[in-house]
Amino acid sequence: MQTQCDKLVVLVTKGIESELSSVAFTIANGGITAGLKVSVFLTSTGIDLVRKGGQRMTHVPPLDPLASLIESFQQRGGTIWACPPCVTSRGYNKEDLLDGVVIVGASAMHAEIKEGAATLSF
């Protein structure tokens, strides 16, 4: 028997240096448009996407600027999680990150997956 889940978890390991970060947030926003509850889990250089000012450094035409993609995602109810060791290893703390970003371990992502969330990785 197949069940339908309305959740999506997007794992992002790429930062401001990669167009994949813009692709990930474009797809995450699309998930919200499709009616999914979407969470983004940032690891590795992906943490730099939510460092205040960092997201302003990336724009991959014809996609919207990364800062706009992230702002839209948050305003529309998307959740952004940041890996604690990845935040710490970069010398950041909560005040260095965009408002609303939650520093939390992978257990938050695993809980969504256990409830049937689909996953995508970038």
Side-chain angles (χ1 to χ4, degrees):
M1 175 184 224
Q2 209 173 24
T3 60
Q4 184 174 346
C5 183
D6 63 350
K7 296 181 181 182
L8 172 64
V9 174
V10 180
L11 174 65
V12 181
T13 62
K14 305 293 183 188
I16 57 176
E17 78 288 350
S18 175
E19 68 184 50
L20 289 177
S21 59
S22 293
V23 172
F25 273 96
T26 299
I27 289 174
N29 276 306
I32 291 174
T33 300
L36 299 174
K37 177 186 172 210
V38 184
S39 303
V40 172
F41 188 73
L42 303 172
T43 67
S44 188
T45 60
I47 296 300
D48 292 323
L49 301 176
V50 293
R51 179 182 49 80
K52 289 180 180 169
Q55 66 286 351
R56 295 192 194 332
M57 301 172 72
T58 301
H59 183 196
V60 182
L63 301 176
D64 290 338
L66 183 60
S68 297
L69 292 169
I70 293 172
E71 182 179 340
S72 176
F73 179 74
Q74 288 184 297
Q75 287 177 346
R76 298 171 67 209
T79 301
I80 300 177
W81 296 317
C83 161
C86 302
V87 170
T88 302
S89 71
R90 285 162 179 73
Y92 303 155
N93 57 49
K94 183 156 182 58
E95 293 74 35
D96 297 313
L97 306 180
L98 296 175
D99 291 341
V101 173
V102 180
I103 299 173
V104 66
S107 59
M109 176 179 59
H110 296 151
E112 295 293 289
I113 293 169
K114 285 173 64 175
E115 290 181 8
T119 60
L120 294 171
S121 298
F122 293 90

